[in-house]
Amino acid sequence: MEKALDKRWIIASVSIVFVLIFFLVFYWSAEPDTFDVREQTNQPPVTGVTLTRTLHTVGSTLLDKPGGYLSNDVIPPSVFMDDMPAWEFGVLEMVRDLALAMRKDFSRSQSQSIENPALVIAQPALNVNHRGWILPSAESQYRKGLDAIDDYLLDLQDPRQGEAQFYARADNLREWLKQVEKRLGSLSQRLSASVGQERINTDLAGDPNARQSTPSAQNLMIKTSWWQLDNNFYEARGASWALLHFLKAVEVDFADVLEKKNARVSLQQIIRELEATQQTVWSPMILNGSGFGALANHSLVMANYISRANAAIIDLSELLSQG
C-alpha cells in the first residue's frame, strides 16, 4: 500500500514539473509586442535621438523580455528551445548592422572624421558570439554595448556636447540600406528554399571577366532541412521586428531628407510590408506545404513579404541616390 502511494506521489510530482516546464516554455516563447518609437522620444526630438533610442530599446528588449536572453542558455528548459533563440539572432543581426552604421556613417561627417568613442565601445561589444556563456557572457557584453549607446544618446541630447553628432544625410541612410538589402535578400532565399527547387547558378552573371575561387555547379539543388524550417522562419520574423522599428525611427529623424527626395511614401510601403510579417501565427507549428498543396507553407508567405520589402528598399536607395 505504501509503495503504491509512493509511486503515485512520484508520478504526480513528475507530472507537475512537466506542466510547469510546459507553461514556462510557452511564456518564454511569446514574442515581444511592437512599440511606438515616437513615444520613446521627447518632443521636439534632436536629430538622431529617435533612431538611437530605438536601437537601445530594441537591444534592451532582447535582453529583458520574459525569460531574458535564451540563446546561450545551457540548462533546461531553455536549452531545448530553438524558435526564440532564432528570433533573438534575427534581432541581434539587425542591431549589429545598425550599430556599425552608427559608428562608421551616421555619427561621422566625413571619411576623415574621428569616430565617436562611445560607439567605438558599443559596436564590437554587440558582435561577440551570441552563444557565449562562459565569462564574460554574451548578455554582459551586449549590456556593455547598450550602455555605451546610452552614453552616446545622452551626449546627443546635451547641447554642451559638441563631439557627439548624428548626421541625417541621404548618403548615410543609403549606406545602411545597402546592408539591409543584403540581409533581407539572404533571409528571403533561405525561406524560399523550404520547397526544394533547382536553381541556375547566377553567381558570376553580368560580368564576363568575373572569377571565383573554386568552380561550382551550373545547376544547384537547394532545399532547407526540415529541422531548420522553423529556425529560418523565426530568425526572419525577429529581423523584421527589429527593422520595422528602425525604419519607423528613420521616418522621424530623416523626415527632411525623405521629403526632399519625395521618398516618404516608399518608406511607408516598406513599413507596411514588414508589419505584415508580424501577424499572429495561428498554427501550432511552422508548416511546409509544397506548391499549391493542401497545407500552407509559412516560410514562403514570410519570404513573400520580405522580398517585397527588399524590393521597395532597393527602390528607396535609388531615390536617395538621385540629386
Side-chain angles (χ1 to χ4, degrees):
M1 185 72 177
E2 291 181 358
K3 290 183 178 180
L5 189 60
D6 289 341
K7 288 182 179 179
R8 290 176 184 175
W9 275 110
I10 293 174
I11 293 173
S13 300
V14 171
S15 299
I16 291 173
V17 170
F18 273 107
V19 170
L20 290 175
I21 290 176
F22 173 80
F23 281 105
L24 191 62
V25 169
F26 181 79
Y27 178 60
W28 286 358
S29 296
E31 299 171 27
D33 293 330
T34 57
F35 58 87
D36 187 351
V37 300
R38 296 178 185 269
E39 290 183 357
Q40 306 295 313
T41 307
N42 296 324
Q43 299 293 334
V46 177
T47 300
V49 165
T50 303
L51 185 56
T52 306
R53 182 164 290 168
T54 300
L55 173 60
H56 186 275
T57 302
V58 167
S60 297
T61 302
L62 181 66
L63 300 179
D64 300 330
K65 59 181 175 54
Y69 183 73
L70 303 177
S71 295
N72 63 345
D73 286 1
V74 293
I75 59 175
S78 50
V79 70
F80 301 119
M81 300 170 62
D82 59 350
D83 292 346
M84 181 51 67
W87 185 92
E88 291 174 344
F89 186 67
V91 174
L92 182 60
E93 288 285 80
M94 285 298 175
V95 167
R96 288 170 170 173
D97 289 345
L98 182 55
L100 179 60
M102 286 274 194
R103 177 180 177 179
K104 70 184 186 68
D105 292 314
F106 293 140
S107 64
R108 303 179 64 186
S109 58
Q110 302 292 336
S111 60
Q112 302 301 314
S113 59
I114 299 176
E115 293 178 309
N116 182 275
L119 296 178
V120 169
I121 297 173
Q123 186 265 326
L126 291 168
N127 278 271
V128 301
N129 183 3
H130 71 290
R131 295 194 180 277
W133 60 276
I134 300 177
L135 296 176
S137 64
E139 297 104 310
S140 64
Q141 292 300 296
Y142 298 158
R143 191 79 66 182
K144 175 183 176 182
L146 293 175
D147 289 342
I149 289 174
D150 193 45
D151 292 339
Y152 170 67
L153 177 62
L154 292 175
D155 289 344
L156 274 182
Q157 299 175 93
D158 188 350
R160 296 170 298 179
Q161 290 284 348
E163 295 182 0
Q165 296 291 341
F166 184 100
Y167 299 96
R169 301 197 311 255
D171 59 333
N172 286 349
L173 179 57
R174 189 166 181 265
E175 286 298 316
W176 173 59
L177 290 177
K178 285 294 183 183
Q179 181 59 38
V180 172
E181 289 175 24
K182 295 178 181 179
R183 190 72 68 188
L184 293 185
S186 175
L187 289 171
S188 177
Q189 287 295 319
R190 288 162 56 196
L191 289 166
S192 299
S194 62
V195 177
Q197 56 183 235
E198 189 174 1
R199 294 179 183 168
I200 298 175
N201 190 334
T202 59
D203 293 346
L204 301 180
D207 187 349
N209 297 318
R211 297 291 183 270
Q212 63 186 60
S213 301
T214 56
S216 55
Q218 292 299 312
N219 295 291
L220 305 173
M221 184 61 187
I222 308 295
K223 184 173 176 59
T224 303
S225 167
W226 187 84
W227 298 101
Q228 289 295 319
L229 289 173
D230 56 341
N231 293 345
N232 289 344
F233 179 88
Y234 281 102
E235 181 183 337
R237 194 168 166 91
S240 300
W241 180 86
L243 182 59
L244 171 62
H245 292 93
F246 295 157
L247 292 179
K248 286 182 176 180
V250 163
E251 188 177 7
V252 177
D253 283 331
F254 289 81
D256 294 339
V257 173
L258 296 171
E259 200 68 37
K260 180 180 178 181
K261 300 288 186 178
N262 197 25
R264 183 184 295 274
V265 175
S266 297
L267 179 61
Q268 290 173 343
Q269 181 60 37
I270 299 169
I271 292 173
R272 180 171 297 182
E273 298 293 349
L274 293 175
E275 286 175 337
T277 67
Q278 302 303 304
Q279 297 178 69
T280 303
V281 180
W282 295 106
S283 172
M285 62 182 297
I286 302 304
L287 300 178
N288 188 38
S290 59
F292 297 107
L295 297 179
N297 188 308
H298 293 115
S299 296
L300 289 184
V301 174
M302 180 67 76
N304 175 60
Y305 290 129
I306 288 182
S307 295
R308 289 167 60 177
N310 197 25
I313 287 176
I314 294 172
D315 291 341
L316 177 59
S317 296
E318 291 301 317
L319 282 176
L320 293 172
S321 67
Q322 298 173 6

